[in-house]
C-alpha cells in the first residue's frame, strides 16, 4: 500500500503514525530477524517524525537555525518513508541563508521542481545541476529526474539518458523506488510519443509494484500494445 502524506493524514493519525503507514515489511532469514528489522524501521520513522515536528514548530516561531538543524537530522533518514513531501515542503519554506550541505542541495532541487511546474525548463535544468558534493543519493536521483523531464520535449534522447541514470542508480528506500518508477513511466511516455512502441512497452514492463506507479504502468502498457497494432495484448 502506498500513502500520500497530506496534512489531512497528519490530522487523522498524527505525524508519527502517518510516516509509518504504508512502509513495506522487511525480509529476514528468520521471523526474529525480520521483527528486529521492522522494529528498527519503526524507531527510525518515529525519530524522523519527531524531528520534522520539532523543526516545523521552530520554523513557525522563526527559529530557522534550529529548524534547519532538526530538519537535517530527519533528512538523513528519509529513505525509509513512503513519501518525503512533508520534509521537502518544510525545506522549501526555509530561508536559503539557513541551509547548507545536503539541505542546500535539496532546496535547489525543490526550486528546480517548481521551475519545471511553471514551464521554465531552462531554469529547472540549471537548478538541478552542480548540486555539490554534499547532495545525498536520493537528492541526486531526483535532480536527474527533473533534468529528464525538463529535456523531454526539446531533447528526448538526452532526456532518456538522464531518466535511465535514475533507474540505474537504484536509490534506496521506498522513496527511491518511487523515483525509479516515475522515471520509467516518463521514459515510456517519451518513447510512446516517438512511436517507439517496443521501448515504451519495455519501460512500462520494468516498473515494479513497490514503486507506486505499477497501475499507471499497466494502463500505459495496454495503450502501447494497442498503438503497436496488438490490441489482443492490450487486454
Amino acid at each position: 500500500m502506498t500513502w500520500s502524506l497530506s496534512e489531512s493524514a497528519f490530522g487523522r493519525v498524527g505525524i508519527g503514525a502517518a510516516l509509518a503507514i504504508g512502509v513495506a515489511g522487511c525480509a529476514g532469514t528468520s521471523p526474529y530477524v525480520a521483527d528486529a528489522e521492522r522494529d528498527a524501521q519503526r524507531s527510525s520513522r518515529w525519530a524522523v517524525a519527531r524531528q520534522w515536528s520539532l523543526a516545523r514548530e521552530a520554523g513557525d516561531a522563526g527559529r530557522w537555525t534550529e529548524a534547519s538543524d532538526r530538519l537535517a537530522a530527519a533528512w538523513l533518514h528519509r529513505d525509509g518513508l513512503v513519501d518525503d513531501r512533508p520534509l521537502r515542503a518544510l525545506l522549501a519554506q526555509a530561508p536559503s541563508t539557513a541551509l547548507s550541505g545536503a539541505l542546500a542541495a535539496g532546496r535547489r532541487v525543490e526550486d528546480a521542481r517548481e521551475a519545471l511546474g511553471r514551464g521554465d525548463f531552462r531554469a529547472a535544468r540549471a537548478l538541478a545541476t552542480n548540486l555539490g558534493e554534499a547532495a545525498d543519493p536520493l537528492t541526486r536521483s531526483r535532480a536527474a529526474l527533473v533534468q529528464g523531464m525538463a529535456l523531454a520535449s526539446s531533447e528526448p534522447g538526452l532526456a532518456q539518458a538522464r531518466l535511465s541514470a535514475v533507474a540505474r542508480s537504484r536509490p534506496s528506500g521506498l522513496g527511491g523506488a518511487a523515483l525509479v518508477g516515475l522515471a520509467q513511466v516518463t521514459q515510456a511516455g517519451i518513447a510512446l510519443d516517438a512511436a517507439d512502441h517496443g521501448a515504451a512497452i519495455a519501460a512500462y514492463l520494468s516498473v515494479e509494484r513497490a514503486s507506486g506507479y505499477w497501475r499507471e504502468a499497466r494502463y500505459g502498457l495496454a495503450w502501447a500494445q494497442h498503438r503497436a497494432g496488438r490490441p489482443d495484448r492490450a487486454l
Side-chain angles (χ1 to χ4, degrees):
M1 177 180 77
T2 58
W3 187 265
S4 176
L5 295 185
S6 63
E7 288 295 335
S8 60
F10 293 144
R12 286 197 302 272
V13 297
I15 172 64
L19 290 171
I21 288 173
V23 177
C26 52
T29 55
S30 79
Y32 303 106
V33 172
D35 286 346
E37 291 176 345
R38 279 192 290 268
D39 287 345
Q41 283 188 336
R42 293 190 189 99
S43 177
S44 176
R45 292 193 299 273
W46 278 100
V48 169
R50 176 169 172 75
Q51 291 298 337
W52 177 88
S53 181
L54 292 172
R56 190 171 69 165
E57 289 178 9
D60 288 344
R63 303 192 308 273
W64 281 108
T65 299
E66 177 188 345
S68 176
D69 289 344
R70 294 196 177 280
L71 184 57
W75 192 257
L76 292 174
H77 303 287
R78 74 191 191 285
D79 59 352
L81 305 180
V82 175
D83 190 339
D84 66 352
R85 277 180 290 181
L87 299 182
R88 292 189 285 115
L90 183 57
L91 177 64
Q93 296 173 21
S96 58
T97 54
L99 305 175
S100 62
L103 290 185
R107 173 61 176 272
R108 279 183 65 90
V109 176
E110 290 307 298
D111 290 344
R113 292 178 65 252
E114 182 179 345
L116 183 67
R118 64 175 184 265
D120 191 346
F121 300 138
R122 179 175 296 182
R125 290 175 59 185
L127 286 164
T129 57
N130 301 321
L131 298 180
E133 296 181 358
D136 58 89
L138 200 57
T139 295
R140 291 186 184 280
S141 293
R142 184 168 279 118
L145 179 61
V146 170
Q147 291 172 18
M149 289 180 166
L151 289 162
S153 59
S154 61
E155 299 182 64
L158 188 53
Q160 290 283 24
R162 294 286 190 274
L163 296 167
S164 293
V166 177
R168 288 196 306 272
S169 69
R170 292 290 172 184
S172 63
L174 291 170
L179 285 180
V180 170
L182 180 53
Q184 291 166 331
V185 167
T186 305
Q187 282 186 287
I190 294 172
L192 200 58
D193 286 344
D196 189 347
H197 303 125
I201 289 169
Y204 283 130
L205 286 172
S206 66
V207 177
E208 298 180 356
R209 287 180 180 270
S211 71
Y213 289 92
W214 188 80
R215 290 183 181 274
E216 183 177 341
R218 302 310 289 184
Y219 178 83
L221 175 62
W223 182 239
Q225 294 282 18
H226 177 77
R227 289 185 57 176
R230 298 190 289 267
D232 55 314
R233 297 188 182 182
L235 300 177

